Structure formats: C-alpha cells, structure tokens
Amino acid sequence: MDLNSDLGEGFGAWKMGDDEAMLDIVTSANIACGFHAGDPSVMRRVCELAAGRGVAIGAHVGYRDLAGFGRRALDIAPDDLADEVLYQIGALDAFARAAGSRVTYVKPHGALYNTAAVDAEQAAAIVDGLRRYDPELALLCLPNSEMQRQAEAAGVVAYAEAFADRAYTADGKLVSRKQPGAVLHDADVVAERAVGMATGGGVVTADGGKLDLRPDSLCVHGDTPGAVELARRIRDGLATADVSLTAFTG
C-alpha cells in the first residue's frame, strides 16, 4: 500500500503543514505546483526533501486560484486546462530533476479533483496535459471516476486512491467540505478506516452504509489539523495489520 499526502502548500512567508515531518512518514508526495499553492522556493525545498528520503514525487495540479486555495470550481475551457496542467507538471519536474528525482505521477487538487471526477471534458483535459508532457506518467484519482475512465481510454495508467481523513457519500464521492463531518480528526477513527480500506474491509459512509474501495494509495491531507499524528497512526496501524508501505509508482 502507498501512503500519500498533499505537501508544499505554503506560499512565500505563509506556511501550511509540516512538510518535513510528513516526508518521514509517507511514501508519495503530491507537491503543489504554484497554482493553488506553492512557489518556486517551496517547490525546490520540498522536492529536495522528498528526493533525499526516496519519496515518490507527484505533481499536485490545480486551478489557478491562490486566493481560494484551489477549492473553488472554475469555468475553464478544456484546451486552457490542458495547457495549465502541462505547465504545472513541467515546473515541478524541473525542481524534481534538479534534486536528483523526477515527477512520476499527477494528482489533481481540490475543486479540480472533484470536478474532474464527474466532468468528462475536464477529466480528458487533465489526461491530455499529462500525456503531452509524458505519457508514461501515472494519474492518481478517485476510483470509478471520469478521471479513471478518461485515463484508461487514453492508455494512461490510473491508480485509485482513498482518503483516510475524509467522509464518503453512498456513491463513493467525498462529502463536501461545506458539510459538517466532511474532514475526520480522530486519530483512532482515521487509522481504523485506513486499515479497513487497505485490507479489503471497506469503509463506513456518512449515511452508515459501506463502500468497498480497494485503493492503491491512501491519502492524508497535509493541511488537516494534526496531520502528522494522523499519518503516523495510519502507518503504525498498517504495520500492525502486516500491510507493507511502498510507493505505488514503484
């Protein structure tokens, strides 16, 4: 099982999360590319930290929305979105290669992730931008989503992820952050859910049902309060369940 986190989401003097501590725990790092968060210095520093620890680097691409942290949906033409995805991947890969590593996958952020999960045009635009940079890159996305379908149709390898610290609807989507209980903070609950997802036990939905997600990777958000402790508890729980951790991109 892979354990990933959204990192590098500071900007200038503004810091978000504890990237260095998280990189001692996770196996893959989704690093912001300057559109929803991150700047050149942040991108360089986090790529160097990830490369030094052997953590896989992924381009965490988003809408061009620093003020809204990429969590506001934007009406953007597919061609423009593909160009912006390509631009972001290239920017991050420059820093990854300078650090002796490289970008191996792409994961959309926030509103782009949620929109492209159900919008075929935006999903196809993400895949188009990815393929134009390097068709060998993988896409990390919600299972049974438009992103997964568009990737598979284009010959791009798609890996399914599940969120240990987010609540799910009955149809397998993430509960909106506008709703109470959308983000989970109890370390015991989060660790138990992560182990259930990783071992085929499924996850309880917000309405009390159960989903069988079978993910390739588990995500804990770097900006969730107490994220480092949540990630540590997840890793410990997986170890206790004899689930080994390794980056899904190998």
Side-chain angles (χ1 to χ4, degrees), residues 68-85:
F69 197 59
R71 287 184 175 152
R72 302 181 294 190
L74 298 183
D75 184 9
I76 180 172
D79 286 347
D80 292 338
L81 179 57
D83 289 340
E84 295 200 344
V85 168

Side-chain angles (χ1 to χ4, degrees), residues 191-203 238:
E192 181 181 359
R193 287 165 68 89
V195 172
M197 293 172 183
T199 58
V203 63
L238 293 173

